[in-house]
Amino acid sequence: MHEKFIGHRIRILNNLIKREIESSEHFAYAQSITGTNSWIIAYLAQNSDKDIYQKDLEKKFSVTRSTASKVIKLMVQKGLIVREEVESDARLKKLILTEKALNMHEAIKSDILKLNEKLTKGFTDEEMGTMQGYIDRMIDNINS
């Protein structure tokens, strides 16, 4: 019989993913950053050709404004990102990775790829597409 409380299973998977990330080869060496910081660094690195702002992180990672603000503040203190004013609007601040963060990104990129391979081992492309669709629908259900 399938458990009807899918949220509990997702929470277990989330905890396992977090544990896996935090015990991976390069995360151990990069003790100054959290798993969340690494996902933000990866997002900023992958979108380095675009201007990314706090509101973009809020949307991408489904976090509140106060949570995003706290994370950004800590990342600035750790020397991972800088906030750069935008000429057209002094209130807006682009988020830019520092050299330190870029080096970390390259080091942990392989760990993220290994985790993804581990998570998706044994799944066909069709199954992955179906699962992505289910997950997207659950996210949409929560957000609506």
Side-chain angles (χ1 to χ4, degrees):
M1 183 172 150
H2 294 287
E3 188 173 312
K4 292 182 181 180
F5 301 108
I6 188 86
H8 181 256
R9 303 295 296 166
I10 291 171
R11 179 67 180 184
I12 290 169
L13 180 59
N14 180 62
N15 289 342
L16 292 170
I17 289 170
K18 184 177 179 183
R19 235 180 270 145
E20 188 75 19
I21 288 170
E22 291 174 351
S23 69
S24 65
E25 179 185 351
H26 294 106
F27 274 79
Y29 118 81
Q31 294 177 1
S32 64
I33 63 170
T34 64
T36 303
N37 286 178
S38 68
W39 291 110
I40 292 171
I41 290 169
Y43 176 70
L44 291 173
Q46 292 164 358
N47 291 282
S48 60
D49 59 328
K50 301 173 189 161
D51 290 344
I52 303 293
Y53 304 96
Q54 178 176 323
K55 64 180 172 52
D56 299 312
L57 295 185
E58 293 166 13
K59 184 176 180 182
K60 174 68 179 171
F61 297 101
S62 296
V63 295
T64 63
R65 187 174 2 151
S66 64
T67 297
S69 180
K70 288 175 190 172
V71 170
I72 290 168
K73 183 178 179 182
L74 288 171
M75 289 181 77
V76 168
Q77 289 173 353
K78 293 176 185 177
L80 300 172
I81 60 175
V82 292
R83 295 180 189 164
E84 187 177 285
E85 287 187 9
V86 178
E87 287 183 28
S88 60
D89 188 343
R91 296 171 297 173
L92 285 178
K93 306 250 188 300
K94 289 191 291 190
L95 303 176
I96 300 172
L97 292 176
T98 62
E99 191 68 31
K100 175 182 176 180
L102 287 169
N103 291 337
M104 282 183 167
H105 171 69
E106 289 304 315
I108 62 177
K109 190 175 177 181
S110 64
D111 288 343
I112 292 170
L113 293 174
K114 286 176 190 173
L115 173 62
N116 195 59
E117 287 175 18
K118 195 171 191 178
L119 281 169
T120 60
K121 181 180 175 184
F123 288 96
T124 66
D125 288 343
E126 183 180 344
E127 289 172 324
M128 287 304 303
T130 300
M131 182 170 33
Q132 290 278 358
Y134 292 153
I135 292 169
D136 289 344
R137 281 176 35 201
M138 286 188 265
I139 291 169
D140 289 344
N141 289 343
I142 293 290
N143 287 329
S144 63

